[in-house]
Amino acid sequence: MRKPLQSIVVLTGAGISAESGIQTFRAADGLWENHRVDEVATPEGFERNPPLVYEFYNQRRRQILSPEIRPNPAHSALAKFEHDFLGNFVLITQNIDNLHERAGSKKLLHMHGEILKMRCLNSKLVFDIREDLVFETECRCCRSPGNLRPHIVWFGEMPLHMHEINLALKGCDLFVAIGTSGNVYPASGFYQSAKIARAHTVELNLEVTGSGFDEHVYGKASEIVPAFFEGILSSSG
Ligand code: OAD
């Protein structure tokens, strides 16, 4: 008989938010919402053209705050699972949107930052923001303009919460990746760390990503995620 699951780590990517109306990153045109990634998602891009970068994330923030963007059944299923599952559960997301927390997820690690936060370049303090961020926006700690940047992990920067993530991966017995293409390091290697810990690894995605998970489930996140996690709850009694 299989041992009951005690510790589960879930990694989500843009695919879980696609049915909520947020475009994934690697659409066929290779652009992120019509922009080249090096223009809007690198420290060099920000140094070259801060107004463009501010405006790009202002648009992303307005989109997240618009009434038509809402959590879908996949976000809700993970929040319900966190509540109902009796073992350890850690949810890691690469997404900068707030749809997991809006669905009710509590134990959540935003490894690539959050669109509704900004950071002081001097003190590194992080603040909530809902309005547009421009050069003139005064920093809440140093009270000067020009000291704020989006709290987003750009290419070439270290993702957040890596210590906690590595500990969770070392101790898990099931690792599930949902709606991520596996193109961006280090998240792309999490399933390997989980395998080293002898965890069972599962990919839930619309299509094959070509990576070496033990099990694959293909379909829309809004359908396969609720079914998969309800299945775990019913088999663990
Ligand atoms: P990608 O856009 O690279 O991949 C999205 C994945 O979701 C693909 O494998 C799709 O097949 C899958 N997908 C799309 N719609 C789906 C649906 N309805 N149900 C299930 N799966 C679906 O996005 P990520 O892997 O998240 O970094 O990208 C990783 C990182 O690259 C992002 O966090 C971002 C980007 O650069 C930063 O912003 C720092």
Side-chain angles (χ1 to χ4, degrees), residues 12-19 23-27 32 37 41 57 93-96 111-113 152-155 178-184 187 203-209 219-222 224-225:
T12 63
I16 197 166
S17 295
E19 291 163 79
Q23 233 188 48
T24 58
F25 294 93
R26 285 163 189 83
W32 184 7
V37 162
Y57 291 96
T93 188
Q94 298 168 88
N95 299 341
I96 59 174
M111 65 176 291
H112 288 165
I152 305 290
V153 176
W154 287 325
F155 284 94
I178 303 171
T180 177
S181 61
N183 272 304
V184 175
E203 170 181 67
L204 307 186
N205 202 305
L206 204 52
E207 59 193 20
V208 187
T209 66
K220 289 181 180 175
S222 64
I224 59 178
V225 174

mmCIF file of all heavy atoms in Angstrom, residues 12-19 23-27 32 37 41 57 93-96 111-113 152-155 178-184 187 203-209 219-222 224-225, ligand 1:
data_model
loop_
_atom_site.group_PDB
_atom_site.id
_atom_site.type_symbol
_atom_site.label_atom_id
_atom_site.label_comp_id
_atom_site.label_asym_id
_atom_site.label_seq_id
_atom_site.Cartn_x
_atom_site.Cartn_y
_atom_site.Cartn_z
ATOM 1 N N THR A 12 3.490 27.007 -9.579
ATOM 2 C CA THR A 12 2.604 27.433 -10.668
ATOM 3 C C THR A 12 3.319 28.435 -11.571
ATOM 4 O O THR A 12 4.236 29.139 -11.165
ATOM 5 C CB THR A 12 1.296 28.080 -10.147
ATOM 6 O OG1 THR A 12 1.597 29.266 -9.413
ATOM 7 C CG2 THR A 12 0.505 27.127 -9.300
ATOM 8 N N GLY A 13 2.846 28.482 -12.829
ATOM 9 C CA GLY A 13 3.367 29.428 -13.810
ATOM 10 C C GLY A 13 2.197 30.105 -14.514
ATOM 11 O O GLY A 13 1.023 29.926 -14.137
ATOM 12 N N ALA A 14 2.534 30.838 -15.548
ATOM 13 C CA ALA A 14 1.555 31.685 -16.221
ATOM 14 C C ALA A 14 0.326 30.915 -16.712
ATOM 15 O O ALA A 14 -0.765 31.479 -16.810
ATOM 16 C CB ALA A 14 2.226 32.394 -17.394
ATOM 17 N N GLY A 15 0.480 29.614 -16.993
ATOM 18 C CA GLY A 15 -0.632 28.826 -17.530
ATOM 19 C C GLY A 15 -1.816 28.752 -16.576
ATOM 20 O O GLY A 15 -2.956 28.608 -17.017
ATOM 21 N N ILE A 16 -1.569 28.885 -15.261
ATOM 22 C CA ILE A 16 -2.709 28.784 -14.329
ATOM 23 C C ILE A 16 -3.561 30.044 -14.386
ATOM 24 O O ILE A 16 -4.757 30.017 -14.070
ATOM 25 C CB ILE A 16 -2.262 28.465 -12.871
ATOM 26 C CG1 ILE A 16 -3.463 27.961 -12.053
ATOM 27 C CG2 ILE A 16 -1.631 29.666 -12.184
ATOM 28 C CD1 ILE A 16 -3.107 27.301 -10.746
ATOM 29 N N SER A 17 -2.974 31.142 -14.807
ATOM 30 C CA SER A 17 -3.734 32.402 -14.875
ATOM 31 C C SER A 17 -4.244 32.707 -16.285
ATOM 32 O O SER A 17 -4.944 33.708 -16.485
ATOM 33 C CB SER A 17 -2.861 33.567 -14.379
ATOM 34 O OG SER A 17 -2.564 33.411 -13.008
ATOM 35 N N ALA A 18 -3.909 31.851 -17.250
ATOM 36 C CA ALA A 18 -4.293 32.125 -18.643
ATOM 37 C C ALA A 18 -5.819 32.219 -18.794
ATOM 38 O O ALA A 18 -6.339 33.121 -19.463
ATOM 39 C CB ALA A 18 -3.732 31.047 -19.560
ATOM 40 N N GLU A 19 -6.545 31.302 -18.133
ATOM 41 C CA GLU A 19 -8.007 31.322 -18.269
ATOM 42 C C GLU A 19 -8.656 32.437 -17.443
ATOM 43 O O GLU A 19 -9.867 32.644 -17.532
ATOM 44 C CB GLU A 19 -8.589 29.955 -17.868
ATOM 45 C CG GLU A 19 -8.233 28.873 -18.871
ATOM 46 C CD GLU A 19 -8.425 27.494 -18.285
ATOM 47 O OE1 GLU A 19 -9.582 27.052 -18.232
ATOM 48 O OE2 GLU A 19 -7.435 26.864 -17.877
ATOM 49 N N GLN A 23 -2.216 37.003 -20.302
ATOM 50 C CA GLN A 23 -1.437 36.319 -21.338
ATOM 51 C C GLN A 23 -0.237 35.590 -20.738
ATOM 52 O O GLN A 23 0.397 36.123 -19.814
ATOM 53 C CB GLN A 23 -0.885 37.389 -22.287
ATOM 54 C CG GLN A 23 -1.184 37.150 -23.736
ATOM 55 C CD GLN A 23 -0.429 38.138 -24.617
ATOM 56 O OE1 GLN A 23 0.760 38.360 -24.471
ATOM 57 N NE2 GLN A 23 -1.154 38.750 -25.528
ATOM 58 N N THR A 24 0.092 34.405 -21.284
ATOM 59 C CA THR A 24 1.317 33.726 -20.837
ATOM 60 C C THR A 24 2.525 34.444 -21.452
ATOM 61 O O THR A 24 2.354 35.344 -22.281
ATOM 62 C CB THR A 24 1.301 32.235 -21.249
ATOM 63 O OG1 THR A 24 1.168 32.164 -22.663
ATOM 64 C CG2 THR A 24 0.163 31.485 -20.588
ATOM 65 N N PHE A 25 3.727 34.062 -21.044
ATOM 66 C CA PHE A 25 4.924 34.783 -21.507
ATOM 67 C C PHE A 25 5.380 34.339 -22.877
ATOM 68 O O PHE A 25 5.758 35.143 -23.711
ATOM 69 C CB PHE A 25 6.072 34.584 -20.509
ATOM 70 C CG PHE A 25 5.752 35.222 -19.206
ATOM 71 C CD1 PHE A 25 5.152 34.504 -18.199
ATOM 72 C CD2 PHE A 25 6.006 36.566 -19.008
ATOM 73 C CE1 PHE A 25 4.815 35.106 -16.998
ATOM 74 C CE2 PHE A 25 5.671 37.174 -17.821
ATOM 75 C CZ PHE A 25 5.078 36.437 -16.818
ATOM 76 N N ARG A 26 5.382 33.016 -23.056
ATOM 77 C CA ARG A 26 5.969 32.513 -24.286
ATOM 78 C C ARG A 26 4.900 32.239 -25.337
ATOM 79 O O ARG A 26 4.767 31.150 -25.838
ATOM 80 C CB ARG A 26 6.847 31.309 -23.993
ATOM 81 C CG ARG A 26 8.109 31.827 -23.370
ATOM 82 C CD ARG A 26 8.955 30.865 -22.639
ATOM 83 N NE ARG A 26 9.980 31.650 -21.961
ATOM 84 C CZ ARG A 26 9.800 32.265 -20.786
ATOM 85 N NH1 ARG A 26 8.653 32.168 -20.160
ATOM 86 N NH2 ARG A 26 10.773 32.981 -20.263
ATOM 87 N N ALA A 27 4.169 33.318 -25.658
ATOM 88 C CA ALA A 27 3.200 33.230 -26.753
ATOM 89 C C ALA A 27 4.015 33.127 -28.056
ATOM 90 O O ALA A 27 5.222 33.386 -28.063
ATOM 91 C CB ALA A 27 2.322 34.470 -26.746
ATOM 92 N N TRP A 32 6.505 39.790 -24.589
ATOM 93 C CA TRP A 32 5.684 39.861 -23.378
ATOM 94 C C TRP A 32 4.789 41.079 -23.530
ATOM 95 O O TRP A 32 5.276 42.207 -23.455
ATOM 96 C CB TRP A 32 6.572 39.971 -22.143
ATOM 97 C CG TRP A 32 5.805 39.945 -20.848
ATOM 98 C CD1 TRP A 32 4.475 39.701 -20.679
ATOM 99 C CD2 TRP A 32 6.328 40.166 -19.537
ATOM 100 N NE1 TRP A 32 4.139 39.754 -19.350
ATOM 101 C CE2 TRP A 32 5.259 40.039 -18.623
ATOM 102 C CE3 TRP A 32 7.609 40.454 -19.039
ATOM 103 C CZ2 TRP A 32 5.421 40.199 -17.250
ATOM 104 C CZ3 TRP A 32 7.759 40.609 -17.683
ATOM 105 C CH2 TRP A 32 6.678 40.485 -16.796
ATOM 106 N N VAL A 37 11.560 41.181 -23.940
ATOM 107 C CA VAL A 37 11.840 40.932 -22.527
ATOM 108 C C VAL A 37 13.031 41.763 -22.037
ATOM 109 O O VAL A 37 13.032 42.289 -20.927
ATOM 110 C CB VAL A 37 12.066 39.412 -22.331
ATOM 111 C CG1 VAL A 37 12.768 39.109 -21.029
ATOM 112 C CG2 VAL A 37 10.723 38.691 -22.376
ATOM 113 N N ALA A 41 12.208 43.604 -18.681
ATOM 114 C CA ALA A 41 12.382 42.643 -17.584
ATOM 115 C C ALA A 41 13.859 42.367 -17.303
ATOM 116 O O ALA A 41 14.231 41.240 -16.961
ATOM 117 C CB ALA A 41 11.634 41.344 -17.890
ATOM 118 N N TYR A 57 4.845 48.217 -16.283
ATOM 119 C CA TYR A 57 4.300 47.579 -15.075
ATOM 120 C C TYR A 57 3.037 48.304 -14.585
ATOM 121 O O TYR A 57 2.176 47.681 -13.971
ATOM 122 C CB TYR A 57 5.373 47.446 -13.980
ATOM 123 C CG TYR A 57 6.412 46.424 -14.389
ATOM 124 C CD1 TYR A 57 7.610 46.820 -14.990
ATOM 125 C CD2 TYR A 57 6.166 45.065 -14.258
ATOM 126 C CE1 TYR A 57 8.543 45.888 -15.416
ATOM 127 C CE2 TYR A 57 7.090 44.120 -14.688
ATOM 128 C CZ TYR A 57 8.278 44.531 -15.269
ATOM 129 O OH TYR A 57 9.181 43.596 -15.705
ATOM 130 N N THR A 93 4.772 30.318 -6.540
ATOM 131 C CA THR A 93 4.317 30.793 -7.845
ATOM 132 C C THR A 93 5.380 31.658 -8.506
ATOM 133 O O THR A 93 6.089 32.414 -7.844
ATOM 134 C CB THR A 93 2.970 31.554 -7.765
ATOM 135 O OG1 THR A 93 2.518 31.811 -9.104
ATOM 136 C CG2 THR A 93 3.057 32.858 -6.985
ATOM 137 N N GLN A 94 5.466 31.493 -9.841
ATOM 138 C CA GLN A 94 6.325 32.387 -10.625
ATOM 139 C C GLN A 94 5.523 33.609 -11.069
ATOM 140 O O GLN A 94 6.062 34.539 -11.633
ATOM 141 C CB GLN A 94 6.844 31.660 -11.872
ATOM 142 C CG GLN A 94 7.702 30.465 -11.574
ATOM 143 C CD GLN A 94 7.934 29.634 -12.832
ATOM 144 O OE1 GLN A 94 8.863 29.865 -13.585
ATOM 145 N NE2 GLN A 94 7.077 28.661 -13.064
ATOM 146 N N ASN A 95 4.228 33.569 -10.798
ATOM 147 C CA ASN A 95 3.361 34.640 -11.292
ATOM 148 C C ASN A 95 3.443 35.873 -10.403
ATOM 149 O O ASN A 95 3.526 35.764 -9.186
ATOM 150 C CB ASN A 95 1.912 34.156 -11.381
ATOM 151 C CG ASN A 95 1.772 32.989 -12.340
ATOM 152 O OD1 ASN A 95 2.657 32.781 -13.179
ATOM 153 N ND2 ASN A 95 0.709 32.222 -12.225
ATOM 154 N N ILE A 96 3.347 37.028 -11.040
ATOM 155 C CA ILE A 96 3.411 38.280 -10.280
ATOM 156 C C ILE A 96 1.997 38.800 -9.995
ATOM 157 O O ILE A 96 1.833 39.821 -9.351
ATOM 158 C CB ILE A 96 4.266 39.333 -11.030
ATOM 159 C CG1 ILE A 96 3.697 39.637 -12.421
ATOM 160 C CG2 ILE A 96 5.712 38.874 -11.115
ATOM 161 C CD1 ILE A 96 4.404 40.775 -13.153
ATOM 162 N N MET A 111 8.023 33.787 -5.967
ATOM 163 C CA MET A 111 9.472 33.778 -6.205
ATOM 164 C C MET A 111 9.933 34.832 -7.215
ATOM 165 O O MET A 111 11.112 35.178 -7.244
ATOM 166 C CB MET A 111 9.959 32.376 -6.618
ATOM 167 C CG MET A 111 9.425 31.871 -7.926
ATOM 168 S SD MET A 111 10.154 30.259 -8.367
ATOM 169 C CE MET A 111 11.863 30.704 -8.726
ATOM 170 N N HIS A 112 9.036 35.326 -8.065
ATOM 171 C CA HIS A 112 9.414 36.352 -9.040
ATOM 172 C C HIS A 112 8.854 37.735 -8.690
ATOM 173 O O HIS A 112 8.780 38.607 -9.554
ATOM 174 C CB HIS A 112 8.967 35.947 -10.455
ATOM 175 C CG HIS A 112 9.781 34.831 -11.039
ATOM 176 N ND1 HIS A 112 9.403 34.100 -12.148
ATOM 177 C CD2 HIS A 112 10.978 34.309 -10.657
ATOM 178 C CE1 HIS A 112 10.329 33.189 -12.419
ATOM 179 N NE2 HIS A 112 11.288 33.295 -11.533
ATOM 180 N N GLY A 113 8.438 37.918 -7.427
ATOM 181 C CA GLY A 113 7.951 39.232 -7.005
ATOM 182 C C GLY A 113 6.462 39.395 -7.243
ATOM 183 O O GLY A 113 5.749 38.435 -7.579
ATOM 184 N N ILE A 152 9.757 43.238 -8.757
ATOM 185 C CA ILE A 152 9.705 42.132 -9.709
ATOM 186 C C ILE A 152 11.131 41.620 -9.860
ATOM 187 O O ILE A 152 12.068 42.426 -9.922
ATOM 188 C CB ILE A 152 9.245 42.639 -11.110
ATOM 189 C CG1 ILE A 152 7.904 43.383 -11.045
ATOM 190 C CG2 ILE A 152 9.204 41.507 -12.133
ATOM 191 C CD1 ILE A 152 6.708 42.533 -10.757
ATOM 192 N N VAL A 153 11.278 40.289 -9.935
ATOM 193 C CA VAL A 153 12.606 39.720 -10.173
ATOM 194 C C VAL A 153 12.848 39.729 -11.679
ATOM 195 O O VAL A 153 12.119 39.085 -12.436
ATOM 196 C CB VAL A 153 12.697 38.278 -9.622
ATOM 197 C CG1 VAL A 153 14.038 37.651 -9.956
ATOM 198 C CG2 VAL A 153 12.455 38.273 -8.117
ATOM 199 N N TRP A 154 13.851 40.482 -12.101
ATOM 200 C CA TRP A 154 14.148 40.560 -13.532
ATOM 201 C C TRP A 154 15.214 39.530 -13.909
ATOM 202 O O TRP A 154 15.897 38.974 -13.036
ATOM 203 C CB TRP A 154 14.625 41.978 -13.867
ATOM 204 C CG TRP A 154 13.501 42.978 -13.849
ATOM 205 C CD1 TRP A 154 12.212 42.768 -14.224
ATOM 206 C CD2 TRP A 154 13.567 44.351 -13.437
ATOM 207 N NE1 TRP A 154 11.476 43.916 -14.082
ATOM 208 C CE2 TRP A 154 12.275 44.907 -13.608
ATOM 209 C CE3 TRP A 154 14.586 45.183 -12.951
ATOM 210 C CZ2 TRP A 154 11.985 46.230 -13.317
ATOM 211 C CZ3 TRP A 154 14.300 46.502 -12.661
ATOM 212 C CH2 TRP A 154 13.012 47.025 -12.848
ATOM 213 N N PHE A 155 15.356 39.287 -15.192
ATOM 214 C CA PHE A 155 16.368 38.336 -15.671
ATOM 215 C C PHE A 155 17.745 38.796 -15.198
ATOM 216 O O PHE A 155 18.068 39.988 -15.265
ATOM 217 C CB PHE A 155 16.321 38.207 -17.195
ATOM 218 C CG PHE A 155 15.151 37.375 -17.624
ATOM 219 C CD1 PHE A 155 13.941 37.986 -17.959
ATOM 220 C CD2 PHE A 155 15.208 35.995 -17.630
ATOM 221 C CE1 PHE A 155 12.830 37.227 -18.305
ATOM 222 C CE2 PHE A 155 14.102 35.225 -17.964
ATOM 223 C CZ PHE A 155 12.915 35.845 -18.307
ATOM 224 N N ILE A 178 2.435 23.296 -12.368
ATOM 225 C CA ILE A 178 1.190 23.594 -13.096
ATOM 226 C C ILE A 178 1.399 24.777 -14.032
ATOM 227 O O ILE A 178 1.798 25.876 -13.596
ATOM 228 C CB ILE A 178 0.060 23.959 -12.098
ATOM 229 C CG1 ILE A 178 -0.162 22.842 -11.077
ATOM 230 C CG2 ILE A 178 -1.235 24.276 -12.852
ATOM 231 C CD1 ILE A 178 -1.105 23.218 -9.930
ATOM 232 N N GLY A 179 1.130 24.584 -15.329
ATOM 233 C CA GLY A 179 1.112 25.697 -16.281
ATOM 234 C C GLY A 179 2.412 26.472 -16.378
ATOM 235 O O GLY A 179 2.398 27.697 -16.449
ATOM 236 N N THR A 180 3.521 25.745 -16.390
ATOM 237 C CA THR A 180 4.811 26.428 -16.588
ATOM 238 C C THR A 180 5.596 25.714 -17.678
ATOM 239 O O THR A 180 5.598 24.488 -17.747
ATOM 240 C CB THR A 180 5.605 26.532 -15.263
ATOM 241 O OG1 THR A 180 6.875 27.137 -15.541
ATOM 242 C CG2 THR A 180 5.804 25.203 -14.565
ATOM 243 N N SER A 181 6.254 26.501 -18.535
ATOM 244 C CA SER A 181 6.941 25.924 -19.693
ATOM 245 C C SER A 181 8.288 25.321 -19.321
ATOM 246 O O SER A 181 8.897 24.620 -20.122
ATOM 247 C CB SER A 181 7.157 27.007 -20.745
ATOM 248 O OG SER A 181 7.972 28.038 -20.208
ATOM 249 N N GLY A 182 8.779 25.620 -18.109
ATOM 250 C CA GLY A 182 10.084 25.082 -17.702
ATOM 251 C C GLY A 182 11.221 25.727 -18.453
ATOM 252 O O GLY A 182 12.280 25.131 -18.646
ATOM 253 N N ASN A 183 11.050 26.964 -18.870
ATOM 254 C CA ASN A 183 12.096 27.660 -19.617
ATOM 255 C C ASN A 183 12.977 28.531 -18.746
ATOM 256 O O ASN A 183 13.992 29.023 -19.221
ATOM 257 C CB ASN A 183 11.454 28.560 -20.688
ATOM 258 C CG ASN A 183 11.238 27.817 -21.970
ATOM 259 O OD1 ASN A 183 12.184 27.264 -22.530
ATOM 260 N ND2 ASN A 183 10.000 27.772 -22.433
ATOM 261 N N VAL A 184 12.523 28.824 -17.528
ATOM 262 C CA VAL A 184 13.246 29.810 -16.733
ATOM 263 C C VAL A 184 13.855 29.159 -15.489
ATOM 264 O O VAL A 184 13.158 28.560 -14.682
ATOM 265 C CB VAL A 184 12.321 31.000 -16.355
ATOM 266 C CG1 VAL A 184 13.021 31.970 -15.424
ATOM 267 C CG2 VAL A 184 11.894 31.724 -17.627
ATOM 268 N N ALA A 187 13.445 27.819 -11.447
ATOM 269 C CA ALA A 187 12.184 27.075 -11.285
ATOM 270 C C ALA A 187 12.170 25.821 -12.164
ATOM 271 O O ALA A 187 11.620 24.783 -11.772
ATOM 272 C CB ALA A 187 11.001 27.980 -11.617
ATOM 273 N N GLU A 203 3.465 16.809 -13.790
ATOM 274 C CA GLU A 203 3.247 18.046 -14.541
ATOM 275 C C GLU A 203 1.785 18.136 -14.965
ATOM 276 O O GLU A 203 1.243 17.182 -15.534
ATOM 277 C CB GLU A 203 4.118 18.049 -15.796
ATOM 278 C CG GLU A 203 3.753 19.184 -16.724
ATOM 279 C CD GLU A 203 4.587 19.203 -17.984
ATOM 280 O OE1 GLU A 203 4.464 18.276 -18.814
ATOM 281 O OE2 GLU A 203 5.361 20.141 -18.146
ATOM 282 N N LEU A 204 1.146 19.272 -14.666
ATOM 283 C CA LEU A 204 -0.218 19.534 -15.157
ATOM 284 C C LEU A 204 -0.084 20.694 -16.143
ATOM 285 O O LEU A 204 0.286 21.805 -15.748
ATOM 286 C CB LEU A 204 -1.158 19.935 -14.026
ATOM 287 C CG LEU A 204 -1.279 19.037 -12.787
ATOM 288 C CD1 LEU A 204 -2.366 19.552 -11.849
ATOM 289 C CD2 LEU A 204 -1.593 17.605 -13.158
ATOM 290 N N ASN A 205 -0.361 20.453 -17.405
ATOM 291 C CA ASN A 205 -0.146 21.489 -18.423
ATOM 292 C C ASN A 205 -1.065 21.236 -19.613
ATOM 293 O O ASN A 205 -1.557 20.126 -19.814
ATOM 294 C CB ASN A 205 1.325 21.462 -18.886
ATOM 295 C CG ASN A 205 1.775 22.766 -19.504
ATOM 296 O OD1 ASN A 205 1.155 23.259 -20.439
ATOM 297 N ND2 ASN A 205 2.840 23.357 -18.976
ATOM 298 N N LEU A 206 -1.223 22.288 -20.390
ATOM 299 C CA LEU A 206 -2.010 22.176 -21.620
ATOM 300 C C LEU A 206 -1.311 21.288 -22.640
ATOM 301 O O LEU A 206 -1.934 20.628 -23.451
ATOM 302 C CB LEU A 206 -2.159 23.596 -22.186
ATOM 303 C CG LEU A 206 -3.295 23.939 -23.101
ATOM 304 C CD1 LEU A 206 -4.632 23.541 -22.505
ATOM 305 C CD2 LEU A 206 -3.265 25.447 -23.373
ATOM 306 N N GLU A 207 0.019 21.285 -22.590
ATOM 307 C CA GLU A 207 0.785 20.544 -23.616
ATOM 308 C C GLU A 207 2.066 19.976 -23.006
ATOM 309 O O GLU A 207 2.457 20.360 -21.910
ATOM 310 C CB GLU A 207 1.128 21.489 -24.762
ATOM 311 C CG GLU A 207 1.940 22.667 -24.271
ATOM 312 C CD GLU A 207 2.054 23.808 -25.267
ATOM 313 O OE1 GLU A 207 1.236 23.886 -26.190
ATOM 314 O OE2 GLU A 207 2.993 24.597 -25.078
ATOM 315 N N VAL A 208 2.724 19.107 -23.774
ATOM 316 C CA VAL A 208 3.983 18.504 -23.328
ATOM 317 C C VAL A 208 5.053 19.588 -23.247
ATOM 318 O O VAL A 208 5.207 20.378 -24.175
ATOM 319 C CB VAL A 208 4.467 17.470 -24.382
ATOM 320 C CG1 VAL A 208 5.672 16.685 -23.898
ATOM 321 C CG2 VAL A 208 3.346 16.552 -24.782
ATOM 322 N N THR A 209 5.807 19.625 -22.148
ATOM 323 C CA THR A 209 6.925 20.573 -22.104
ATOM 324 C C THR A 209 8.253 19.873 -22.351
ATOM 325 O O THR A 209 9.277 20.523 -22.432
ATOM 326 C CB THR A 209 7.001 21.310 -20.745
ATOM 327 O OG1 THR A 209 7.312 20.350 -19.747
ATOM 328 C CG2 THR A 209 5.715 22.025 -20.412
ATOM 329 N N GLY A 219 -4.309 19.153 -20.145
ATOM 330 C CA GLY A 219 -5.637 19.755 -20.255
ATOM 331 C C GLY A 219 -5.602 21.170 -19.722
ATOM 332 O O GLY A 219 -4.541 21.694 -19.346
ATOM 333 N N LYS A 220 -6.783 21.790 -19.678
ATOM 334 C CA LYS A 220 -6.879 23.157 -19.158
ATOM 335 C C LYS A 220 -6.751 23.140 -17.646
ATOM 336 O O LYS A 220 -7.416 22.320 -16.977
ATOM 337 C CB LYS A 220 -8.245 23.739 -19.493
ATOM 338 C CG LYS A 220 -8.454 24.063 -20.933
ATOM 339 C CD LYS A 220 -9.846 24.641 -21.030
ATOM 340 C CE LYS A 220 -10.201 25.014 -22.438
ATOM 341 N NZ LYS A 220 -11.579 25.456 -22.518
ATOM 342 N N ALA A 221 -5.996 24.092 -17.120
ATOM 343 C CA ALA A 221 -5.788 24.143 -15.664
ATOM 344 C C ALA A 221 -7.115 24.164 -14.908
ATOM 345 O O ALA A 221 -7.257 23.506 -13.878
ATOM 346 C CB ALA A 221 -4.952 25.372 -15.312
ATOM 347 N N SER A 222 -8.095 24.896 -15.429
ATOM 348 C CA SER A 222 -9.374 25.033 -14.709
ATOM 349 C C SER A 222 -10.095 23.695 -14.564
ATOM 350 O O SER A 222 -10.956 23.545 -13.703
ATOM 351 C CB SER A 222 -10.290 26.014 -15.441
ATOM 352 O OG SER A 222 -10.597 25.479 -16.710
ATOM 353 N N ILE A 224 -8.185 20.345 -14.997
ATOM 354 C CA ILE A 224 -7.325 19.261 -14.472
ATOM 355 C C ILE A 224 -6.838 19.529 -13.051
ATOM 356 O O ILE A 224 -6.619 18.596 -12.295
ATOM 357 C CB ILE A 224 -6.137 18.953 -15.421
ATOM 358 C CG1 ILE A 224 -5.259 20.196 -15.643
ATOM 359 C CG2 ILE A 224 -6.627 18.387 -16.730
ATOM 360 C CD1 ILE A 224 -4.047 19.919 -16.542
ATOM 361 N N VAL A 225 -6.690 20.793 -12.665
ATOM 362 C CA VAL A 225 -6.182 21.077 -11.310
ATOM 363 C C VAL A 225 -7.220 20.678 -10.245
ATOM 364 O O VAL A 225 -6.887 19.942 -9.309
ATOM 365 C CB VAL A 225 -5.725 22.556 -11.175
ATOM 366 C CG1 VAL A 225 -5.343 22.885 -9.738
ATOM 367 C CG2 VAL A 225 -4.548 22.824 -12.116
HETATM 368 P P1 OAD B 1 5.284 30.482 -19.998
HETATM 369 O O1 OAD B 1 4.507 31.469 -20.782
HETATM 370 O O2 OAD B 1 6.700 30.252 -20.386
HETATM 371 O O3 OAD B 1 4.545 29.069 -20.029
HETATM 372 C C1 OAD B 1 3.164 28.946 -19.799
HETATM 373 C C2 OAD B 1 2.816 27.465 -19.814
HETATM 374 O O4 OAD B 1 1.447 27.372 -19.484
HETATM 375 C C3 OAD B 1 3.022 26.765 -21.144
HETATM 376 O O5 OAD B 1 3.717 25.541 -20.939
HETATM 377 C C4 OAD B 1 1.589 26.494 -21.647
HETATM 378 O O6 OAD B 1 1.483 25.270 -22.337
HETATM 379 C C5 OAD B 1 0.824 26.427 -20.339
HETATM 380 N N1 OAD B 1 -0.593 26.816 -20.448
HETATM 381 C C6 OAD B 1 -1.142 27.826 -21.165
HETATM 382 N N2 OAD B 1 -2.467 27.906 -20.965
HETATM 383 C C7 OAD B 1 -2.781 26.926 -20.078
HETATM 384 C C8 OAD B 1 -4.000 26.483 -19.456
HETATM 385 N N3 OAD B 1 -5.173 27.068 -19.701
HETATM 386 N N4 OAD B 1 -3.929 25.422 -18.610
HETATM 387 C C9 OAD B 1 -2.755 24.804 -18.346
HETATM 388 N N5 OAD B 1 -1.577 25.173 -18.887
HETATM 389 C C10 OAD B 1 -1.588 26.216 -19.748
HETATM 390 O O7 OAD B 1 5.169 30.933 -18.459
HETATM 391 P P2 OAD B 1 6.059 30.543 -17.195
HETATM 392 O O8 OAD B 1 6.590 29.153 -17.308
HETATM 393 O O9 OAD B 1 5.274 30.914 -15.989
HETATM 394 O O10 OAD B 1 9.344 35.716 -15.166
HETATM 395 O O11 OAD B 1 7.258 31.576 -17.319
HETATM 396 C C11 OAD B 1 8.247 31.613 -16.320
HETATM 397 C C12 OAD B 1 8.755 33.014 -16.112
HETATM 398 O O12 OAD B 1 9.179 33.555 -17.339
HETATM 399 C C13 OAD B 1 7.714 34.010 -15.643
HETATM 400 O O13 OAD B 1 7.510 33.976 -14.248
HETATM 401 C C14 OAD B 1 8.288 35.326 -16.050
HETATM 402 C C15 OAD B 1 8.820 34.953 -17.411
HETATM 403 O O14 OAD B 1 9.885 35.636 -17.840
HETATM 404 C C16 OAD B 1 9.316 36.966 -14.625
HETATM 405 O O15 OAD B 1 8.412 37.741 -14.777
HETATM 406 C C17 OAD B 1 10.487 37.287 -13.770
#
